[in-house]
Amino acid sequence: MVFATIAALSGLLVLLTLLPLSRQEVWWIRGLDFPRLQLASVALALSVAIPVLLDRSGTVTWLMLAATLACFLYHAWWIYPYTRLYPVEVLQADDAIHGERIRILSANVLTPNRQADAFLKLVRENNPDILVTLETDLWWQERLDVLEADYPHTMKCPLDNLYGMHLYSKLPLEDAEIQFLVEPDKPSMHAAVVLPTGLRVRMHFVHPAPPSPTENDESTERDAELLVIAKSVAESKLPVVVTGDLNDVAWSATTRLFRKISGLLDPRIGRGMFNTFHAGYRFIRFPVDHVFHSRHFTLADIRRLPYYGSDHFPMLVELAYDKRIAPLQQGLPADEEDREWADEKTGEKDVEKDDVHAPDEEPALPRRGI
């Protein structure tokens, strides 16, 4: 009985590990990109249990051990960069240098959640320059509008389909536009944010639908939206930030492809996973709320903020503009196969990089004191 149980679990682990290696976009395969930490934990537990509980003189025992160890190492390879053991990709900001800073709070509020007072308290305590909210409808808009005294620059797209989006900014917004790039009811926001010295930062706020049995049968729509934005920002002359609930984990093949094509950096690398979903289940959480940025920025602060009633924790990231550091920071390089794969994914939804609203570009102003 013990042998049969461990053998079945080992076989299932191997199957769940191998399936995502295919580029099939069906939801139940792409969903297996998410639980790599959980699968690594199961693989490690089985690797310990097999030599302890089974006959170590049997060849099958050692084959199972080899298979479970291989699964553990494979999943660990994906999540290792999101541990403190890995070198940071984004350098820490120098507090002694007074440069341009931008503080961003991104929160998927969960439309049925009615704890708006708790959320507003959290916003005021953390005092972001930019607040982007996802899943916000008219009810949430009415509550959030009290922020306009401090956040006079806004973009609003209230929807009842769990894809509403609102942007509240202390900083001026220029050349702003709301788009529905891939699906007619899934908005994204695009604007140039003007920092106090006049530096313009190109920002994109996104929330594509996930592959799931209740959303899209495949990841095609999500992948196309992320990658067409990646193609667009790769050519930007301005500093760039892309943020939102991407409905994809930080370590998935698609998110890695997004980073390769866009050239953007992930401030979590070498600092932690910052799992934001699901807030209600401690052992089933994934990093799906993201802030990616160009090499122009170093990291002043990154935090997962406390629970306030949503199924997502909010993310707070503060970036410091430091053009001297840009040559020292490198993301993931893209090769020809990566570019062909990105073209294939965007081509499936007939969307091009020129479809993405790109704010008018002006050269970044020189940083004061440099």
Side-chain angles (χ1 to χ4, degrees):
M1 182 65 179
V2 173
F3 177 85
T5 300
I6 292 180
L9 289 174
S10 299
L12 180 60
L13 172 67
V14 170
L15 179 64
L16 296 180
T17 300
L18 292 177
L19 280 172
L21 291 175
S22 75
R23 291 187 174 180
Q24 294 295 317
E25 297 180 346
V26 63
W27 69 268
W28 58 272
I29 292 182
R30 292 282 56 90
L32 294 173
D33 290 328
F34 284 63
R36 294 204 183 277
L37 176 60
Q38 290 79 5
L39 290 174
S41 300
V42 171
L44 183 59
L46 285 171
S47 298
V48 172
I50 286 171
V52 172
L53 300 178
L54 301 185
D55 179 10
R56 281 175 283 180
S57 64
T59 303
V60 174
T61 297
W62 294 106
L63 288 175
M64 282 197 293
L65 178 60
T68 56
L69 281 173
C71 290
F72 169 74
L73 292 173
Y74 178 74
H75 291 297
W77 178 84
W78 284 94
I79 62 179
Y80 170 52
Y82 298 91
T83 69
R84 293 181 180 273
L85 300 175
Y86 197 85
V88 297
E89 184 170 88
V90 178
L91 298 177
Q92 193 67 29
D94 187 347
D95 291 335
I97 297 178
H98 300 287
E100 292 288 4
R101 303 253 175 142
I102 183 167
R103 191 172 175 88
I104 305 161
L105 197 161
S106 175
N108 183 322
V109 303
L110 181 63
T111 301
N113 174 28
R114 291 298 180 250
Q115 299 187 41
D117 289 342
F119 179 67
L120 290 169
K121 181 175 182 289
L122 183 147
V123 171
R124 291 177 174 123
E125 287 174 348
N126 290 279
N127 193 31
D129 301 307
I130 300 284
L131 169 66
V132 57
T133 62
L134 311 167
E135 292 201 25
T136 34
D137 57 6
L138 279 172
W139 185 93
W140 271 96
Q141 178 174 302
E142 291 170 358
R143 274 73 186 170
L144 293 172
D145 279 349
V146 301
L147 295 170
E148 289 190 3
D150 297 316
Y151 295 82
H153 310 284
T154 64
M155 298 177 71
K156 302 177 183 180
C157 185
L159 294 172
D160 296 323
N161 63 351
L162 304 181
Y163 289 93
M165 184 180 295
H166 288 73
L167 178 64
Y168 295 83
S169 175
K170 292 182 177 181
L171 304 170
L173 304 175
E174 292 184 352
D175 200 9
E177 186 170 320
I178 298 172
Q179 290 188 290
F180 297 82
L181 284 169
V182 175
E183 297 188 82
D185 57 350
K186 309 295 189 299
S188 55
M189 293 181 174
H190 315 266
V193 176
V194 185
L195 275 60
T197 60
L199 175 70
R200 301 172 79 245
V201 178
R202 177 174 168 176
M203 298 194 71
H204 300 266
F205 307 90
V206 295
H207 185 205
S212 78
T214 59
E215 295 281 354
N216 294 324
D217 292 336
E218 297 184 344
S219 66
T220 309
E221 292 82 1
R222 179 199 66 189
D223 298 351
E225 181 165 344
L226 296 181
L227 291 169
V228 76
I229 291 174
K231 290 181 179 182
S232 178
V233 303
E235 300 179 351
S236 177
K237 298 177 183 177
L238 297 177
V240 173
V241 175
V242 176
T243 186
D245 174 3
L246 272 59
N247 274 314
D248 198 12
V249 283
W251 48 69
S252 79
T254 302
T255 298
R256 282 176 59 86
L257 183 60
F258 169 86
R259 291 172 55 210
K260 288 179 178 182
I261 299 300
S262 67
L264 300 184
L265 308 181
D266 186 345
R268 291 165 300 189
I269 298 289
R271 291 185 170 92
M273 296 179 185
F274 298 92
N275 295 326
T276 54
F277 176 85
H278 190 290
Y281 304 104
R282 182 177 297 274
F283 300 106
I284 310 177
R285 288 180 179 168
F286 312 108
V288 300
D289 296 275
H290 306 263
V291 176
F292 298 107
H293 60 82
S294 58
R295 296 184 301 157
H296 305 84
F297 296 103
T298 54
L299 182 70
D301 191 13
I302 181 169
R303 277 182 280 157
R304 189 186 74 179
L305 298 181
Y307 177 78
Y308 64 95
S310 175
D311 53 352
H312 287 245
F313 293 104
M315 276 295 292
L316 181 75
V317 174
E318 183 175 353
L319 304 175
Y321 176 74
D322 191 340
K323 67 178 182 180
R324 302 177 309 171
I325 298 298
L328 305 179
Q329 301 189 132
Q330 298 293 332
L332 297 174
D335 58 25
E336 188 59 32
E337 182 181 356
D338 295 323
R339 286 184 280 270
E340 290 176 358
W341 191 19
D343 289 343
E344 177 184 330
K345 284 181 171 290
T346 55
E348 288 176 354
K349 299 307 295 183
D350 194 25
V351 61
E352 301 288 342
K353 63 184 178 182
D354 291 340
D355 296 331
V356 179
H357 177 68
D360 291 336
E361 297 200 340
E362 297 174 4
L365 296 180
R367 182 174 171 179
R368 291 180 177 177
I370 295 179

